Amino acid sequence: MNKYRPQKEYLWIKVYKRRQNVDRYIKVPLTEDVTQELQAGDYVYITGFIYTARDAAHKRLYECIEKGERIPLNLENNVIYYLGPTPERTGQIIGSAGPTTSSRMDKYTPLLLEEGLKGMIGKGKRSPEVISSIIKNKSVYFAAVGGAGALLSKKIKYSKIVAYEDLGTEAIRELYVEDFPVIVIIDSQGNNLYETAVEDYLNTTK
């Protein structure tokens, strides 16, 4: 690790391990009561059915909604994981399941949030437009640790393609996850861990 540029995961642990009661276990579908309780920096363990979708699937969902057509999944109070898993091996439920870069979905996200989407799991920063929409719709943006796809896949107990099978690994899947580990990056109030963690870390080193 470059001591002059600490990794974000290290900053989260360094700054937020001092906080109390930050481990939260939640179930999906999410309600606004739950999303409004979550705070940037909370460690969250998700159980329930969620969906996967990357940029190609987002584009199709966006276009369907714009045309007034019915989309092949119910977004209301649900969570989308920005994931395109590697092919599973014999005996596996799913292949490596690490997150993809969230900014690829920024163009499409505000409309999906307007349709009732309550949670997103990915990695990296979000645009100002997405953050504004998160606040407006009382949603939350989580991050899963990049580079830990094999470990994250162990938290996935069921996987089934439910739409856009022609997209291959980018098809929309329904997953059942148990205690899937994420951290709240942007909460429903717009607090952004990518901004506050660095500032807080630097303050602790002064």
Side-chain angles (χ1 to χ4, degrees):
M1 180 185 298
N2 185 329
K3 65 180 179 180
Y4 299 108
R5 298 184 64 185
Q7 294 178 355
K8 290 186 178 69
E9 290 84 355
Y10 174 74
L11 293 175
W12 298 339
I13 295 169
K14 180 73 175 179
V15 174
Y16 286 91
K17 71 179 181 180
R18 301 190 308 274
R19 292 178 53 189
Q20 301 297 316
N21 302 321
V22 296
D23 284 359
R24 300 182 184 271
Y25 292 81
I26 65 173
K27 294 183 178 181
V28 289
L30 296 179
T31 64
E32 286 188 2
D33 289 341
V34 173
T35 60
Q36 291 184 91
E37 288 179 355
L38 298 174
Q39 299 178 25
D42 285 352
Y43 294 98
V44 177
Y45 301 87
I46 299 173
T47 295
F49 287 97
I50 65 175
Y51 294 106
T52 71
R54 287 186 51 162
D55 31 327
H58 271 72
K59 183 174 185 292
R60 290 192 185 180
L61 293 172
Y62 181 91
E63 290 172 347
C64 282
I65 295 170
E66 285 280 272
K67 294 175 183 177
E69 298 174 355
R70 184 176 180 180
I71 61 174
L73 67 161
N74 179 18
L75 294 176
E76 187 73 25
N77 295 332
N78 263 310
V79 175
I80 286 181
Y81 183 19
Y82 301 151
L83 166 69
T86 62
E88 64 270 21
R89 297 178 181 177
T90 302
Q92 286 186 318
I93 294 172
I94 197 169
S96 181
T100 194
T101 303
S102 301
S103 59
R104 297 174 180 173
M105 274 56 72
D106 281 357
K107 176 181 178 181
Y108 312 111
T109 296
L111 182 58
L112 299 190
L113 291 171
E114 292 289 340
E115 291 293 309
L117 182 66
K118 276 292 178 281
M120 302 152 286
I121 305 172
K123 66 177 181 180
K125 296 181 178 181
R126 307 309 303 262
S127 70
E129 292 77 17
V130 170
I131 296 172
S132 294
S133 189
I134 287 172
I135 298 169
K136 177 183 177 183
N137 294 285
K138 300 180 175 62
S139 303
V140 64
Y141 170 52
F142 304 101
V145 178
L151 295 175
L152 292 173
S153 67
K154 297 182 184 300
K155 298 296 184 179
I156 299 171
K157 307 303 180 181
Y158 167 88
S159 172
K160 179 183 178 181
I161 294 176
V162 295
Y164 308 148
E165 188 171 1
D166 61 297
L167 294 179
T169 59
E170 293 199 31
I172 294 178
R173 292 172 178 261
E174 182 182 58
L175 307 179
Y176 185 81
V177 298
E178 289 184 357
D179 293 337
F180 191 87
V182 294
I183 188 167
V184 178
I185 300 299
I186 302 172
D187 62 30
S188 62
Q189 304 300 312
N191 300 306
N192 189 338
L193 184 60
Y194 284 146
E195 296 175 353
T196 59
V198 174
E199 181 180 345
D200 289 350
Y201 175 77
L202 293 175
N203 287 337
T204 65
T205 62
K206 290 181 179 178

